[in-house]
Amino acid sequence: MRKLGKLVAVASLGSMTLAGTAQATCWSPIEVEAATLRELQSRLMVASLRCAKSNHDVLPHYNAFVRNKRHLLISGNDTLKAYFGKHHGRKGGVRAYDSFAVSLANRYGAGSGDLSECESMNELAFSAASSEPSRAALVRIARENGLEPTLPGGRCGIVIASRAGG
C-alpha cells in the first residue's frame, strides 16, 4: 500500500510538472492575436504573388495593407519574437520565429497554383487595407475569413476570478 501511495504522489507531481510546462508554452490572448495578424499577412503575401497575373491582382491592396497597418504588423511581430524568445532563448527564439513565419508562407504557397481564389483574396486584401487601424479589426477580418493560426503549445487556459463569499 505504501508503494501505491508513493506511485500516486509521483504521478501527481509528474502531471503537475506537465501541466506547468504546457501552461508555460501556451499562447496568451495577445500572442494569439499577434499570430493571427501574421497569419493574415502571410496569406495575403502569398496571394499577392500567386495572383499577380490574374484578373484580380492582389498586390495593390496588399501593399496598401502593409503600408496602412505597418505599425500593427510590426507590433504583432515583436510580440511573436518575444514569445519565441521567452520559450526558446535568444538564438533559439529567432530560429523558432523564423520557422513559424516560414511555415505559414509555405502552407499557403504549397497550393496548386489555381487562380480561382484570387477574387476572394483581392477582397480580403481590400478589407484589411481599408479597415479601422486596430489589431482587433484585423483579427476580426482574419477570423471571419477562416484564418486561425496553428499554435504549438496551444492557447493558455482561461482563469476566472471570483469573490469569496459571493
Side-chain angles (χ1 to χ4, degrees), residues 13 114 156:
L13 182 59
D114 179 13
C156 296

Side-chain angles (χ1 to χ4, degrees), residues 37-165:
L37 285 181
R38 185 63 205 205
E39 181 98 9
L40 176 62
Q41 181 183 5
S42 294
R43 181 68 182 106
L44 291 175
M45 177 190 64
V46 170
S48 71
L49 296 171
R50 178 173 287 149
C51 298
K53 301 292 183 201
S54 77
N55 291 334
H56 304 283
D57 185 4
V58 176
L59 190 58
H61 293 312
Y62 173 73
N63 285 339
F65 162 65
V66 171
R67 230 181 2 263
N68 297 344
K69 307 306 189 290
R70 180 177 173 80
H71 67 287
L72 296 170
L73 299 173
I74 289 171
S75 171
N77 279 326
D78 288 345
T79 299
L80 291 174
K81 289 174 184 177
Y83 169 84
F84 286 111
K86 177 173 62 175
H87 298 292
H88 300 280
R90 200 174 98 234
K91 284 185 180 178
V94 170
R95 283 191 303 272
Y97 168 80
D98 289 343
S99 177
F100 179 78
V102 168
S103 72
L104 290 174
N106 286 344
R107 182 173 48 176
Y108 292 119
S112 65
D114 179 13
L115 301 179
S116 64
E117 68 181 13
C118 291
E119 183 175 8
S120 65
M121 288 297 103
N122 196 34
E123 291 168 5
L124 176 58
F126 176 77
S127 293
S130 61
S131 73
E132 172 189 327
S134 72
R135 182 181 279 196
L138 291 176
V139 167
R140 180 184 45 75
I141 289 168
R143 289 182 177 152
E144 286 173 353
N145 285 276
L147 300 177
E148 286 288 334
T150 301
L151 304 171
R155 295 171 188 243
C156 296
I158 298 173
V159 177
I160 300 174
S162 65
R163 284 192 340 224

Side-chain angles (χ1 to χ4, degrees), residues 13-27:
L13 182 59
S15 67
M16 287 189 317
T17 302
L18 287 175
T21 301
Q23 191 69 17
T25 61
C26 67
W27 293 68

